[in-house]
Amino acid sequence: MTVLVGYVPNALGEATLRAGVEESRRRSEPLVVLNMSRDDVLVDARRAPADDLERVDRDVRELGVDVEVVQVEEGGDAAEALVEAATTHHASVLVIGLRHRSAVGKLILGSVAQRVLLGAPCPVLAVKGQS
């Protein structure tokens, strides 16, 4: 079993990563960090550069947590990628970040979080972003 974190290179992603590290330590399970930033879905107008992902790997290892950083496939659906990774990595929990969106935004774009919550094969821990 593993703890799976959906990571993006912003403040919410860092909060989500911290929650994932805490869960990993609490459960004594390895951590898998799924880098959700992609060229086709820019987060905070940037993709997580390789040195940022190396920093994530290094910082988590320094905390004594066994970690694997995985890049999500290009062009895929974010919710499907998270659910599939949770299945593939035998996740005991999936940690995701939530940000506030308007009702219209949810209607037009759909809710990745809702699809993850309904489709995940394991419990989902949602980390709330700052308003």
Side-chain angles (χ1 to χ4, degrees):
M1 303 295 282
T2 63
V3 173
L4 178 67
V5 171
Y7 174 78
V8 292
N10 60 21
L12 179 55
E14 293 299 322
T16 304
L17 181 62
R18 284 190 300 276
V21 167
E22 289 175 19
E23 280 298 307
S24 176
R25 290 174 129 175
R26 188 175 72 77
R27 295 168 181 262
S28 298
E29 295 176 352
L31 181 68
V32 175
V33 177
L34 185 62
N35 178 30
M36 299 302 297
S37 63
R38 310 176 309 219
D39 286 335
D40 62 327
V41 180
L42 296 179
V43 179
D44 285 357
R46 65 187 177 103
R47 177 185 167 121
D51 59 340
D52 184 53
L53 298 178
E54 290 170 4
R55 176 200 53 82
V56 166
D57 184 87
R58 181 186 63 247
D59 289 355
V60 172
R61 287 185 191 284
E62 286 177 0
L63 294 171
V65 174
D66 183 21
V67 65
E68 176 185 4
V69 178
V70 178
Q71 175 64 49
V72 70
E73 294 291 324
E74 292 291 331
D77 178 77
E80 287 178 16
L82 285 163
V83 170
E84 183 178 316
T87 301
T88 302
H89 292 281
H90 306 287
S92 61
V93 64
L94 170 56
V95 186
I96 62 171
L98 295 179
R99 60 184 172 83
H100 178 74
R101 290 184 30 210
S102 69
V104 173
K106 290 179 208 171
L107 178 64
I108 294 171
L109 299 174
S111 174
V112 171
Q114 180 179 356
R115 290 175 30 230
V116 169
L117 287 166
L118 295 173
C122 60
V124 177
L125 172 62
V127 177
K128 183 178 172 183
Q130 298 296 323
S131 301

